[in-house]
């Protein structure tokens, strides 16, 4: 399970006592979750008005920062293409895996100085993550254009003989070039019709040069034949060829164009390789930055909500619970029993819906205690 419940409850005589009570209720007797203390430093409280306004703002920031974390992770998976199994090892926060980072969370004093007001800290975080979001858009756009152009060229060089580029297939000596009267055409013939082609190509129009056809290339379905004829017979020949299920390719041998195509493919391929390493490094660094920012936003939310709910002086214990899928429902019940005295109205709502079959309690986001969910599964696909 990569889901964590970040909760807080007011300090009893001491915060340690709050922790001990929660541990006794959730692990000592029944092993419902793995728990960790979640350390939040002494932040500046500010006025009640500011806290109320900040509570709403932080909810929006939380969603925004989470979306950026997921975008960076998803784009990392897209860039790694065939090495998607390597994605997880690149999605680290401060050099450790996400679960380790969350369970050992320490506030980053250098990035987010606690002498600043809560509002300033939240603005520092959102400004930083907005910058990551904007940079991701421009980097992804540049890399995707490059990748798209390369894929288009690769598609041209693959596919059936009816559509693919012939640059790698035909050679100069396959053509009659610079002739005033003669031209070499390229014809796609189904494999099942090779015999028909050999029998009939000289008679498809007047002025076809006898014995001028050569098989240049074949794939699973068709062969590519050259045939030489007088220019004035082109239209007749194409018409008759179509009737016989032979396809004349619109193709003129142009060495410079073909060379330019090959060079473009080499250039794009080299550019993509050059950009790949720095882009993956940027994604690793900025995934870490965005994820760290996100957990700091969660810490801010717990702090603000705990002060609003439990009052001053600041006295609460933040705790991180990791339930298993099987124990979620029971854990929720135990926590509600433990903390229902904190808010009787929330407890009453929960009691009334507890017994309704099919109701997903995770939708009931309000509990007698402060609660936020953190889901570390930041990718849309399963590894």
């Amino acid at each position: 399970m990569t889901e964590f419940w970040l909760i807080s409850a007011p300090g009893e005589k001491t915060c340690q006592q709050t922790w001990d009570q929660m541990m006794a209720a959730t692990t000592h007797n029944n092993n419902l979750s793995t728990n960790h203390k979640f350390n939040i430093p002494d932040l500046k409280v500010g006025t009640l008005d500011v806290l109320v306004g900040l509570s709403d703002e932080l909810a929006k920031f939380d969603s925004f920062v989470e979306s950026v974390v997921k975008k960076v992770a998803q784009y990392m998976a897209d860039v790694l293409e065939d090495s998607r199994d390597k994605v997880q090892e690149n999605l680290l926060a401060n050099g450790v895996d996400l679960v380790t980072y969350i369970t050992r969370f320490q506030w980053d004093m250098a990035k987010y100085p606690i002498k600043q007001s809560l509002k300033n800290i939240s603005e520092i975080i959102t400004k930083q993550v907005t910058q990551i979001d904007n940079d991701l858009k421009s980097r992804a756009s540049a890399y995707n254009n490059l990748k798209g152009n390369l894929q288009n060229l690769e598609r041209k060089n693959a596919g059936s003989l009816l559509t693919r580029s012939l640059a790698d297939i035909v050679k100069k000596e396959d053509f009659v070039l610079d002739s005033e009267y003669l031209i070499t055409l390229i014809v796609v013939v189904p494999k099942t019709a090779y015999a028909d082609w050999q029998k009939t190509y000289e008679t498809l129009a007047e002025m076809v040069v006898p014995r001028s056809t050569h098989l240049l290339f074949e794939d699973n379905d068709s062969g590519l034949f050259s045939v030489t004829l007088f220019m004035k017979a082109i239209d007749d020949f194409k018409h008759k060829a179509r009737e016989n299920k032979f396809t004349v390719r619109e193709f003129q041998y142009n060495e410079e164009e073909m060379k330019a195509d090959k060079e473009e493919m080499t250039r794009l391929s080299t550019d993509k390789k050059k950009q790949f390493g720095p882009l993956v490094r940027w994604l690793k660094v900025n995934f870490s930055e965005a994820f760290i920012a996100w957990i700091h936003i969660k810490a801010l939310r717990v702090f603000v909500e705990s002060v609003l709910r439990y009052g001053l002086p600041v006295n609460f214990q933040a705790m991180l619970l990791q339930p298993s899928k099987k124990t979620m429902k029971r854990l929720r019940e135990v926590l509600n029993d433990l903390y229902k005295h904190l808010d009787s109205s929330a407890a009453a709502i929960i009691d009334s819906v507890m017994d309704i079959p099919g109701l997903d309690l995770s939708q009931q986001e309000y509990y007698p205690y402060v609660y936020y969910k953190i889901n570390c599964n930041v990718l849309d696909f399963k590894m």
Side-chain angles (χ1 to χ4, degrees), residues 285-299:
V285 168
N286 286 278
F287 174 81
S288 174
E289 293 293 309
F291 190 85
I292 289 166
W294 184 39
I295 304 306
H296 279 75
I297 287 272
K298 293 285 188 194

Side-chain angles (χ1 to χ4, degrees), residues 52-98:
V52 171
L54 202 51
S55 177
D56 290 341
E57 273 180 28
L58 286 171
K60 291 181 196 135
F61 291 164
D62 189 344
S63 299
F64 166 65
V65 178
E66 181 180 6
S67 76
V68 174
V69 166
K70 288 185 170 175
K71 267 192 261 182
V72 176
Q74 201 56 50
Y75 195 61
M76 171 96 77
D78 294 347
V79 168
L80 288 175
E81 293 176 34
D82 301 334
S83 311
R84 278 188 162 205
D85 53 335
K86 301 271 194 303
V87 178
Q88 217 67 54
E89 67 197 51
N90 285 296
L91 298 179
L92 304 175
N94 245 359
V96 296
D97 66 83
L98 306 186

Side-chain angles (χ1 to χ4, degrees), residues 313-346:
V314 175
N315 180 28
F316 67 87
Q317 178 65 55
M319 301 167 276
L320 191 69
L321 284 60
Q322 189 178 12
S324 72
K325 211 166 190 105
K326 287 178 186 163
T327 60
M328 279 185 170
K329 189 166 184 285
R330 180 73 192 119
L331 178 62
R332 189 66 81 192
E333 288 165 2
V334 165
L335 291 176
N336 288 329
D337 281 346
L338 189 59
Y339 298 125
K340 62 185 173 192
H341 64 282
L342 298 176
D343 186 339
S344 52
S345 60

Side-chain angles (χ1 to χ4, degrees), residues 91-298:
L91 298 179
L92 304 175
N94 245 359
V96 296
D97 66 83
L98 306 186
V99 169
T100 304
Y101 177 78
I102 293 174
T103 53
R104 297 182 190 167
F105 175 76
Q106 292 295 324
W107 186 273
D108 190 327
M109 301 287 182
K111 268 190 200 145
Y112 314 118
I114 59 172
K115 288 191 169 67
Q116 301 256 11
S117 69
L118 293 173
K119 193 160 180 56
N120 280 4
I121 293 172
S122 73
E123 279 168 3
I124 291 169
I125 295 174
T126 41
K127 195 173 167 190
Q128 177 202 4
V129 177
T130 303
Q131 186 62 52
I132 291 173
D133 193 35
N134 292 336
D135 285 356
L136 176 66
K137 282 174 191 155
S138 62
R139 284 166 188 270
S141 169
Y143 190 74
N144 290 351
N145 279 342
L146 181 60
K147 195 166 136 184
N149 291 338
L150 184 58
Q151 280 169 344
N152 287 340
L153 275 182
E154 282 168 348
R155 266 198 293 275
K156 267 188 177 178
N157 287 324
S160 85
L161 287 175
L162 295 168
T163 54
R164 66 174 284 178
S165 162
L166 302 181
D168 284 339
I169 293 174
V170 298
K171 301 182 191 69
K172 190 174 183 177
E173 53 267 29
D174 297 329
F175 294 83
V176 172
L177 298 171
D178 308 322
S179 164
E180 205 176 325
Y181 304 108
L182 292 172
I183 186 166
T184 301
L185 297 182
I186 297 293
V187 186
V188 179
V189 178
K191 276 192 170 172
T192 51
Y194 279 11
D196 287 348
W197 168 256
Q198 293 290 358
K199 263 193 298 201
T200 59
Y201 80 90
E202 291 177 5
T203 60
L204 292 178
E206 291 179 2
M207 302 181 160
V208 175
V209 176
R211 292 189 296 286
S212 64
T213 193
H214 298 283
L215 175 62
L216 308 178
F217 184 84
E218 55 185 351
D219 64 13
N220 292 337
D221 308 309
S222 318
L224 200 67
F225 286 84
S226 62
V227 60
T228 303
L229 54 143
F230 280 76
M231 286 181 191
K232 57 167 79 167
I234 287 177
D235 289 343
D236 268 358
F237 186 88
K238 282 183 178 174
H239 177 68
K240 279 280 171 36
R242 241 195 329 273
E243 284 179 358
N244 284 274
K245 306 275 193 302
F246 308 139
T247 308
V248 178
R249 285 280 308 255
E250 293 299 329
F251 179 79
Q252 276 186 316
Y253 186 85
N254 182 324
E255 208 152 15
E256 279 169 17
E257 256 179 44
M258 283 157 61
K259 190 179 167 199
D261 268 5
K262 279 184 188 170
E263 282 171 358
E264 176 68 354
M265 184 119 168
T266 308
R267 184 186 70 75
L268 289 172
S269 187
T270 307
D271 280 1
K272 188 184 168 199
K273 281 183 190 134
K274 261 191 208 157
Q275 286 190 27
F276 176 81
L279 179 59
V280 170
R281 277 194 295 281
W282 184 89
L283 288 166
K284 277 174 78 164
V285 168
N286 286 278
F287 174 81
S288 174
E289 293 293 309
F291 190 85
I292 289 166
W294 184 39
I295 304 306
H296 279 75
I297 287 272
K298 293 285 188 194

Side-chain angles (χ1 to χ4, degrees), residues 5 328-337 340 346-362 364 366-369:
W5 295 359
M328 279 185 170
K329 189 166 184 285
R330 180 73 192 119
L331 178 62
R332 189 66 81 192
E333 288 165 2
V334 165
L335 291 176
N336 288 329
D337 281 346
K340 62 185 173 192
I349 294 167
I350 288 158
D351 286 342
S352 66
V353 298
M354 209 49 120
D355 300 324
I356 301 173
L359 185 84
D360 182 4
L361 271 179
S362 62
Q364 299 285 326
Y366 189 78
Y367 299 98
Y369 48 94

Side-chain angles (χ1 to χ4, degrees), residues 20-51:
D20 293 340
Q21 279 183 348
M22 190 276 297
M23 285 296 283
T26 62
T27 61
H28 295 168
N29 310 329
N30 41 21
N31 212 12
L32 295 176
S33 57
T34 308
N35 306 326
H36 307 267
K37 283 184 179 176
F38 190 84
N39 297 311
I40 300 175
D42 296 329
L43 299 166
K44 281 189 165 182
V45 175
T47 65
L48 184 64
D49 281 357
V50 168
L51 287 179

